[in-house]
Amino acid sequence: MFKTGIKLIFLLALIYSATAYGQTTDTLKKDTVKIDTALLNKYRINSRRNAIPVPPAPLQIRQELIPVTMLDYKVSYWRKSITFGLNFNQSAFTNNYSAGGVSSIAIGSNFIYHTEYNKAPFSYVSELNLQYGKSKSKGLGSRKTNDRIFWDNKLATQMAKHWFFFGALSFESQFDKGYTYDPNNVLPPTLISNFMAPGYLTESIGFEYKPASYFDLRLGTGTARQTFVLDDAIFAPGQTDAFGVKRGRTTRTDIAFQAVAILDKDIAKNMHLNARYEMFVPYGQPLSYTRHRLDAVLAAKVNRLVNVSLNGTLLFDKNTGINDIQGTEGLALGVLYKFP
């Protein structure tokens, strides 16, 4: 009887286990879904690679000494420049040209040497300006178109932000003989000037106002000028003096007040203006004998070498024997070279 009960209990347990397994299998079958892993790989987002390379070894920082010889530079307080210009003009006509005309050739040259020293509070500026030009026309011969020697030197020491105390020495003359010509080309030309006839040597001390690098104003409160006439041939018959120097003498000295204004600036792209105005007021003469001179050059660059220049001079000086304003003007196309 006992054995029969055990068999019955074992059989019931077996039936119950089989029933539970079947239910579990049915539930798994209902909840399980097949997934395509290749399709999932299309939606995978990979992380970005690090753009900064990771050094395989740890970073090491060490001190490096710079040789002192690399910092041993020389400082120059001098600045120098040379400008050379050459202008050429030519025209030719046949003898039977119906509109008429005269064959001619003209050449002009300009040489400027500029040197400057600046070491606060002292400064020194020297400029040598040489100009010469000549033209030759058929039937008229050769005639001078431009002639000037000008050398200016200035030494200054700074007193305030824009004010300096200066001393200056300048020299002015010409290379060649100068003539006046008969308008009718009948009378021979008359000699009126030559080298050192006249020649001017000017010494000046005073105060300089320089508000900008391109402009300065000199006020020469103590100025002396020597006028030289070393060629007696420029005196016309009956003429008692030339350029303020009496006949039979070679020099004349004037004590005066002098004002000089200089403008040297680029006023537009590839266009430069250089102007110098001088007023000389002699103490021993009336104010009507005040000398005024204005020199201006406007230059425009076409390219690195070719340029167009317009230059002019206005002069009022009764000591030259002329009581009116004198002037010259020239327009030129030529070659201009400046270095460095």
Side-chain angles (χ1 to χ4, degrees), residues 245-319:
V245 180
K246 293 187 179 299
R247 194 182 191 113
R249 303 187 63 179
T250 57
T251 61
R252 169 193 172 96
T253 302
D254 291 299
I255 306 298
F257 169 81
Q258 184 187 45
V260 178
I262 300 174
L263 177 66
D264 191 4
K265 184 183 180 182
D266 291 328
I267 59 175
K269 185 178 180 181
N270 296 333
M271 187 173 292
H272 186 81
L273 174 64
N274 181 279
R276 187 180 193 273
Y277 168 74
E278 176 197 353
M279 180 178 67
F280 186 82
V281 186
Y283 291 140
Q285 291 180 300
L287 287 177
S288 60
Y289 280 82
T290 299
R291 181 179 189 262
H292 302 271
R293 180 175 180 126
L294 174 64
D295 295 277
V297 177
L298 179 63
K301 281 189 176 181
V302 178
N303 54 35
R304 188 169 180 266
L305 290 178
V306 180
N307 82 311
V308 179
S309 63
L310 176 65
N311 63 82
T313 300
L314 292 176
L315 174 65
F316 178 79
D317 188 359
K318 284 189 174 183
N319 287 320

Side-chain angles (χ1 to χ4, degrees), residues 29-292:
K29 288 181 179 180
K30 292 179 181 179
D31 298 337
T32 301
V33 178
K34 292 184 178 181
I35 298 175
D36 188 359
T37 58
L39 182 62
L40 290 178
N41 288 335
K42 296 181 180 180
Y43 301 97
R44 178 178 294 176
I45 300 176
N46 297 321
S47 61
R48 295 178 60 186
R49 297 184 60 184
N50 190 357
I52 302 176
V54 179
L59 184 64
Q60 296 181 358
I61 300 176
R62 62 182 181 180
Q63 184 179 7
E64 190 73 22
L65 298 178
I66 300 176
V68 178
T69 54
M70 295 181 62
L71 303 177
D72 188 16
Y73 296 108
K74 292 183 178 180
V75 179
S76 177
Y77 300 98
W78 288 92
R79 187 176 64 179
K80 303 176 183 179
S81 66
I82 295 177
T83 304
F84 177 74
L86 188 64
N87 304 314
F88 180 78
N89 185 20
Q90 182 267 342
S91 62
F93 301 86
T94 60
N95 294 329
N96 60 350
Y97 188 65
S98 60
V102 177
S103 299
S104 65
I105 184 172
I107 188 170
S109 60
N110 184 23
F111 176 84
I112 300 175
Y113 176 74
H114 182 91
T115 181
E116 186 174 342
Y117 175 84
N118 280 294
K119 185 179 181 182
F122 298 102
S123 66
Y124 170 73
V125 178
S126 177
E127 182 170 299
L128 176 64
N129 192 331
L130 307 177
Q131 300 176 11
Y132 191 77
K134 213 159 191 179
S135 67
K136 185 175 182 180
S137 302
K138 184 178 180 181
L140 298 177
S142 61
R143 297 184 178 184
K144 186 170 61 173
T145 59
N146 201 3
D147 188 2
R148 191 187 188 202
I149 303 172
F150 182 73
W151 186 25
D152 184 46
N153 299 271
K154 183 195 68 174
L155 178 65
T157 179
Q158 191 170 12
M159 301 170 55
K161 184 177 181 180
H162 299 303
W163 287 94
F164 298 79
F165 180 77
F166 80 93
L169 175 67
S170 64
F171 171 77
E172 183 178 359
S173 188
Q174 62 191 54
F175 288 101
D176 202 0
K177 296 179 179 181
Y179 296 91
T180 56
Y181 298 91
D182 180 21
N184 299 320
N185 202 28
V186 176
L187 300 176
T190 302
L191 179 68
I192 59 172
S193 64
N194 201 350
F195 174 71
M196 291 301 291
Y200 301 97
L201 184 64
T202 307
E203 307 91 14
S204 179
I205 58 172
F207 302 95
E208 179 185 28
Y209 176 63
K210 193 175 181 67
S213 59
Y214 55 83
F215 176 79
D216 67 86
L217 174 65
R218 304 181 197 173
L219 302 174
T221 54
T223 303
R225 168 174 290 174
Q226 293 79 43
T227 304
F228 299 89
V229 176
L230 305 184
D231 188 357
D232 292 336
I234 70 169
F235 287 92
Q239 185 178 0
T240 59
D241 67 84
F243 303 99
V245 180
K246 293 187 179 299
R247 194 182 191 113
R249 303 187 63 179
T250 57
T251 61
R252 169 193 172 96
T253 302
D254 291 299
I255 306 298
F257 169 81
Q258 184 187 45
V260 178
I262 300 174
L263 177 66
D264 191 4
K265 184 183 180 182
D266 291 328
I267 59 175
K269 185 178 180 181
N270 296 333
M271 187 173 292
H272 186 81
L273 174 64
N274 181 279
R276 187 180 193 273
Y277 168 74
E278 176 197 353
M279 180 178 67
F280 186 82
V281 186
Y283 291 140
Q285 291 180 300
L287 287 177
S288 60
Y289 280 82
T290 299
R291 181 179 189 262
H292 302 271

